[in-house]
Amino acid sequence: MNHLTSWTDLDDATWRACLDRALWHRQNRAWSQSAAAKALGLVFFNPSLRTRASMDLAAAHLGAHAVTLTPGNGTWGLETRDGVTMDGLAAEHVKEAFGVLSRYVDALGVRTFATLTDPEADAEDRAFRAVVDASTVPVVNLESARWHPCQELGDAATITDHLGGDVRGKKLVLHWAPHPKPLPRAVPNSALLMAARLGMEVIVARPDGFGLDADVLDLARDAARRSGGSVTESSDRVGALSGASVVYAKAWAGSGVYGSPDHEAQQRASHADTWRLSSDDLVQTDRAAFMHCLPVRRGVVVDGDVLDGDRAIHLLQAEYRLHAQKAILEWVWGLGAEG
Ligand code: CP
């Protein structure tokens, strides 16, 4: 079964074929009936604008029908943990819910964010794995604790398109950004893997205490070895930005979030002014494109004039979610490329 849990479970050739297909979809913008009579279930345990709208439309563009459910909001609250006594808010277990949905649809898309309170559950992507285990049809990860593969493919296509093809050796700075709340790492993890797979020179610029997980950095370095790219970390944001072709901003929680959340919040707040991206920061780059997965808080993560400026490609990036997810659904359903 073609589950898309993480691109790390799949080979580079599959990723590249989906990337090429996403680029093709943007050029052709074709609606088809290639997935006519197929149904897609979309289950959002957490909020979404882009993923929800673009997955629904990706299905429609291919002639499939999507049904969207939000547990706890018009749909029964769902329990993902195994072996618990269900005397809380959740009225139904994912074993039953996804067992049933699997009998209605031909694939499922599921969003389950990190808890940011249970490090083992997040490291194992436990909630998402519970859904996959309960499903008997392919499952597409719409952002789990660890990964956001739809974002990852859309971002790869955005960079390839915007920078004009081969981006090997070009410099991408994955730039930590301030935020009033601790945020999960699925997007920075996926952005790191994406840029490494493209063969870019990737620098993760972040303050001390906000490094990404060692196993994710190892996966990215493996990908960079295969592609001819490189992956380094730096707390010197000014040095990192010099000569960059892409600046990808994202807020994420520090490593202290599980054990000492108050300290992590203090650390995060202490970097608010220094690490917020401004148009002055972009001057030292090689006319870098600015990226953000959205949603973004203006004046907190980045100044509004950067988002309004001609280097910002965050709307193209969001558009590519639609094209990338059409490619993903075609792969999931084994629909061979038309055109
Ligand atoms: N980037 C992204 O996944 O956006 P949403 O959270 O709005 O789906």
Side-chain angles (χ1 to χ4, degrees), residues 25-309:
H25 274 303
R26 181 157 197 263
Q27 290 302 314
N28 292 277
R29 294 175 178 272
W31 288 58
S32 75
Q33 288 297 309
S34 60
K38 289 202 180 293
L40 175 67
L42 300 173
V43 183
F44 285 89
F45 287 84
N46 314 97
S48 166
L49 186 153
R50 279 142 291 277
T51 309
R52 181 172 175 158
S54 57
M55 278 306 278
D56 191 322
L57 286 164
H61 281 214
L62 299 175
H65 179 80
V67 59
T68 300
L69 303 172
T70 51
N73 185 11
T75 301
W76 304 116
L78 298 181
E79 177 61 65
T80 61
R81 295 167 299 168
D82 207 8
V84 295
T85 301
M86 288 174 50
D87 54 3
L89 291 175
E92 185 162 14
H93 200 279
V94 292
K95 291 186 182 190
E96 280 73 42
F98 283 83
V100 169
L101 290 171
S102 293
R103 291 168 182 249
Y104 298 156
V105 300
D106 302 287
L108 286 153
V110 181
R111 169 167 283 196
T112 55
F113 283 175
T115 64
L116 296 182
T117 55
D118 184 338
E120 285 84 22
D122 290 347
E124 294 168 12
D125 239 341
R126 210 177 277 161
F128 185 74
R129 296 279 165 197
V131 167
V132 172
D133 289 347
S135 302
T136 56
V137 294
V139 180
V140 177
N141 182 347
L142 304 181
E143 187 174 342
S144 65
R146 296 262 288 171
W147 306 112
H148 196 349
C150 295
Q151 185 75 53
E152 185 173 338
L153 189 69
D155 290 351
T158 305
I159 291 172
T160 303
D161 186 343
H162 183 74
L163 295 185
D166 188 354
V167 298
R168 283 176 296 178
K170 291 191 184 293
K171 184 174 179 180
L172 180 145
V173 180
L174 179 55
H175 189 286
W176 182 87
H179 201 278
K181 295 197 280 191
L183 297 187
R185 297 177 175 194
V187 169
N189 289 348
S190 297
L192 175 62
L193 262 292
M194 173 276 297
R197 248 201 238 250
L198 286 176
M200 301 185 81
E201 178 195 338
V202 191
I203 301 184
V204 183
R206 81 294 178 274
D208 292 338
F210 289 81
L212 295 176
D213 291 338
D215 64 331
V216 174
L217 287 159
D218 284 346
L219 285 167
R221 290 191 175 112
D222 283 347
R225 265 190 288 279
R226 296 194 303 274
S227 66
S230 64
V231 172
T232 55
E233 292 183 280
S234 175
S235 56
D236 171 15
R237 60 187 291 275
V238 174
L241 288 168
S242 175
S245 296
V246 178
V247 176
Y248 193 127
K250 183 71 184 84
W252 64 83
S255 50
V257 70
Y258 294 103
S260 46
D262 292 344
H263 179 62
E264 190 273 348
Q266 284 170 3
Q267 275 191 310
R268 196 160 19 84
S270 74
H271 299 304
D273 289 335
T274 318
W275 283 79
R276 184 183 67 250
L277 272 157
S278 71
S279 49
D280 285 347
D281 291 324
L282 298 186
V283 168
Q284 61 207 301
T285 68
D286 183 14
R287 288 188 49 75
F290 173 84
M291 297 180 71
H292 190 284
C293 65
L294 304 179
V296 67
R297 291 182 184 238
R298 288 173 173 249
V300 175
V301 169
V302 57
D303 288 346
D305 60 347
V306 174
L307 294 165
D308 296 334

